[in-house]
Amino acid sequence: MTTQTKETTTDNFKEFELINEKNYFKWCIFDKDNKGRSDAISRKGTVLFSSAYQKRSISIREYLDNNKNCILTTNSMALKMQREFDKIKYDLYKPVSIPKQNFLEMLGCMPPEKWETSEDNFIIFESFKMAEALTNHIYTFYCRVKKPNYKNSRYLKVNLHGSCNHHQIRNFIIEHINKKDLLANTK
């Protein structure tokens, strides 16, 4: 007499209405406390990296039950949440005045990336990106601005997404400086 063993399979997607074997790759686990993607989802409905690390299958439900700070969300929503967190944590889009010496030190620190100079409406604008990212494709850009009415150049740094180009940075920084100049002239 032979004994047959029946292989049991579990549908790890059954309690989740929107995620299934056809769209699992569009979903991930997001850690609300650490503000980042915690894990990916596998075709079997398990958490991908944690299962590999633990050397056993961990279902989405088991992972969420053991990590109360985590949620199941789409990759696009996780990216939006990550960007909002990065905006706050890394002071994105907040230019800071720096001394000339700091600008020159950073210029000589590593080979600069995206190092460009432009002149438009008698405003000389120079910018470069630090080669090393702060995190998640966020970089510090260093800028020098020389306007005709300035005795000396102004130096600033700002954290931005690495995809920003020289003209976008220039427009953003010039707008910031014009607002500061306007406020200074109204006092």
Side-chain angles (χ1 to χ4, degrees):
M1 185 168 159
T2 56
T3 310
Q4 287 185 320
T5 56
K6 186 177 180 185
E7 189 178 302
T8 58
T9 57
T10 305
D11 181 4
N12 290 316
F13 295 117
K14 69 181 172 203
E15 69 177 281
F16 302 101
E17 187 177 331
L18 301 174
I19 184 173
N20 56 50
E21 290 177 347
K22 293 179 182 168
N23 70 2
Y24 69 92
F25 54 90
K26 294 181 180 180
W27 294 79
C28 69
I29 304 287
F30 187 83
D31 186 334
K32 297 184 297 183
D33 290 343
N34 293 322
K35 313 291 191 261
R37 285 179 220 208
S38 181
D39 215 322
I41 306 300
S42 76
R43 176 174 289 165
K44 297 176 186 173
T46 59
V47 287
L48 192 64
F49 305 115
S50 295
S51 292
Y53 180 74
Q54 296 285 330
K55 297 181 181 167
R56 68 178 185 87
S57 292
I58 301 172
S59 71
I60 298 168
R61 172 53 50 215
E62 179 185 354
Y63 190 88
L64 293 174
D65 287 346
N66 291 328
N67 298 279
K68 298 295 184 193
N69 55 324
C70 292
I71 58 171
L72 177 64
T73 188
T74 61
N75 286 319
S76 60
M77 183 55 72
L79 182 61
K80 287 177 187 176
M81 290 187 288
Q82 180 72 52
R83 285 192 173 158
E84 282 303 309
F85 170 73
D86 289 345
K87 196 175 190 179
I88 296 163
K89 183 175 181 179
Y90 298 102
D91 288 330
L92 259 59
Y93 309 107
K94 292 184 181 176
V96 177
S97 292
I98 59 170
K100 177 181 180 179
Q101 185 61 31
N102 187 276
F103 177 86
L104 295 174
E105 284 174 10
M106 293 300 113
L107 187 58
C109 182
M110 295 176 127
E113 292 185 357
K114 294 186 174 184
W115 186 14
E116 295 183 46
T117 304
S118 59
E119 187 173 347
D120 188 22
N121 294 329
F122 305 104
I123 299 171
I124 299 169
F125 184 79
E126 178 180 12
S127 71
F128 67 90
K129 174 178 96 169
M130 285 303 293
E132 194 172 304
L134 294 170
T135 186
N136 299 326
H137 200 56
I138 295 171
Y139 294 83
T140 301
F141 288 83
Y142 290 85
C143 310
R144 178 180 70 91
V145 180
K146 177 73 168 106
K147 290 172 100 176
N149 59 330
Y150 289 177
K151 184 176 178 180
N152 297 309
S153 295
R154 291 195 183 170
Y155 299 89
L156 301 100
K157 72 176 185 175
V158 62
N159 296 333
L160 299 168
H161 291 282
S163 59
C164 292
N165 66 43
H166 178 76
H167 295 288
Q168 291 170 321
I169 298 164
R170 180 193 183 281
N171 292 341
F172 175 73
I173 294 293
I174 297 298
E175 182 180 323
H176 170 78
I177 285 179
N178 287 343
K179 286 178 185 177
K180 287 195 92 157
D181 289 350
L182 186 64
L183 283 172
N185 291 333
T186 59
K187 289 182 179 180

